[in-house]
Amino acid sequence: MGEALKKEFLTGSIRARRISTACGAEITGLDLKRPLGSTEVEALHHVLGENGILLFRNTDLSPDEHIAFSRHFGELEVHVIGDFALPGKPEVFVVSNVKEEGKLKGAVYAGQYWHSDLSYMKKPSMGSLLLCREMPEIGGDTMFANMYLAYDTLSESMRNFIGGLSAVHDYSHAYDTYFAHLKERPPLTTGQRAKTPPVEHPMVRVHPVTGRKALYVNPGFTKGIVGMPRDESQPILDLLFRHSTRAEFIYRHKWQVNDMIFWDNRCVTHYALSDYDFSVRRHMHRTTLAG
Ligand code: SIN
């Protein structure tokens, strides 16, 4: 994924163009409102695996069209916190600072730390499709870090060391670490905690489409290394978190309304910047593909 796309290519009228050296390809020539053929789906899976994110501009999809497009790539997850779903559309997770009649319309402060969606589940998400509905003029970008590059640029000794290890991922970790002071993100309920017990995943995963190895730890949800006390594991994790978010591994997206980004949770992590005026509306719809 560090390499540029060979050339613009894909199938039929569809084109993919690399958008940064770190990761990402913009897809053009595709009508997202019509059903896709299996060749197109396969080609998009391939470009996604190679580039980590796909950018679609001017999508103008309704929630039903967003769901239908996403379903070409797999089953959709329903988020453990039902309150953040679009009314009547449980598959659409709303990320929003917008309030109506004093009630937030979605998850506020969501993803304002590096993470891979649902890495805290036994079967983490394969990918997510985030559609921009409203965006402040300044700020509110999302950053994406290439975890193939993160892995490839570690020393051989470190790659060998972590290659045999697993890490513990826990949704509560984000609440304890990033949300503890935020009244709009109260702690998980007992029921939500019961649905998201800590899970273990290898620290290095092999991407099923590209066969490449990617680092699979993130500061949002990874809270330890299996078999190590905290005073040993935390410095190793901190080193990997710092390394994996080096500036040259990152693509930073400045959103326009109707942009949609499909990212691959198996080989990129992402971070929603909180650098905007919170009295200005930022409103996004996300579908999340099961692993
Ligand atoms: C998320 O982590 O899914 C939210 C990303 C964003 O709002 O930019």
Side-chain angles (χ1 to χ4, degrees):
M1 187 149 84
E3 302 150 26
L5 274 177
K6 310 260 177 322
K7 277 262 173 262
E8 286 205 354
F9 81 102
L10 259 183
T11 178
S13 63
I14 310 175
R15 292 286 170 272
R17 182 184 64 85
R18 186 78 178 197
I19 51 175
S20 85
T21 51
C23 54
E26 180 176 352
I27 304 295
T28 52
L30 178 66
D31 177 3
L32 274 59
K33 291 177 185 253
R34 68 160 171 81
L36 301 184
S38 57
T39 316
E40 293 168 318
V41 172
E42 202 185 315
L44 289 170
H45 265 301
H46 175 76
V47 182
L48 177 71
E50 288 291 335
N51 294 278
I53 73 172
L54 304 182
L55 165 65
F56 304 89
R57 299 270 194 194
N58 306 310
T59 59
D60 191 27
L61 297 177
S62 67
D64 283 333
E65 290 166 338
H66 182 194
I67 292 171
F69 180 78
S70 307
R71 283 212 171 112
H72 286 111
F73 304 94
E75 295 291 312
L76 297 184
E77 291 277 358
V78 173
H79 198 267
V80 63
I81 304 190
D83 294 355
F84 301 149
L86 189 66
K89 311 266 178 240
E91 305 90 343
V92 178
F93 176 72
V94 182
V95 176
S96 185
N97 64 357
V98 176
K99 272 189 183 166
E100 252 168 34
E101 290 166 11
K103 194 175 176 309
L104 279 160
K105 291 182 81 177
V108 67
Y109 309 119
Q112 296 183 348
Y113 42 80
W114 285 106
H115 66 288
S116 173
D117 289 331
L118 273 49
S119 77
Y120 52 81
M121 301 294 281
K122 213 177 163 112
K123 267 196 173 183
S125 161
M126 168 248 157
S128 309
L129 295 95
L130 187 68
L131 206 167
C132 175
R133 301 282 182 197
E134 293 179 79
M135 186 54 56
E137 211 171 291
I138 298 176
D141 300 355
T142 306
M143 298 192 292
F144 299 89
N146 179 333
M147 302 300 272
Y148 292 134
L149 279 181
Y151 176 77
D152 291 345
T153 51
L154 288 169
S155 67
E156 193 181 346
S157 310
M158 182 56 95
R159 290 200 303 263
N160 288 339
F161 175 58
I162 62 172
L165 297 175
S166 291
V168 180
H169 297 243
D170 188 347
Y171 192 28
S172 304
H173 182 63
Y175 281 76
D176 297 342
T177 312
Y178 302 99
F179 296 150
H181 61 296
L182 299 170
K183 68 173 178 353
E184 291 96 340
R185 296 299 302 260
L188 295 173
T189 62
T190 312
Q192 289 161 348
R193 276 184 189 260
K195 282 192 206 157
T196 54
V199 295
E200 297 175 7
H201 297 300
M203 291 173 68
V204 178
R205 64 186 295 180
V206 178
H207 195 289
V209 176
T210 62
R212 292 185 63 185
K213 288 185 177 171
L215 187 61
Y216 195 65
V217 290
N218 64 82
F221 305 133
T222 311
K223 70 171 190 190
I225 297 177
V226 177
M228 279 188 198
R230 191 178 154 80
D231 65 339
E232 284 182 25
S233 74
Q234 199 55 48
I236 299 167
L237 288 175
D238 286 341
L239 179 152
L240 295 173
F241 296 156
R242 224 174 24 250
H243 171 80
S244 63
T245 53
R246 272 166 49 176
E248 60 270 40
F249 304 159
I250 293 172
Y251 166 67
R252 176 169 171 164
H253 187 67
K254 167 140 193 63
W255 293 97
Q256 292 168 15
V257 169
N258 283 331
D259 282 354
M260 181 167 76
I261 287 191
F262 180 2
W263 65 77
D264 188 328
N265 284 308
R266 301 164 296 187
C267 61
V268 296
T269 53
H270 60 286
Y271 182 119
L273 278 109
S274 61
D275 60 344
Y276 55 98
D277 175 354
F278 266 61
S279 66
V280 182
R281 296 161 73 104
R282 185 182 189 277
H283 192 69
M284 318 286 275
H285 284 176
R286 190 184 89 192
T287 52
T288 314
L289 291 161

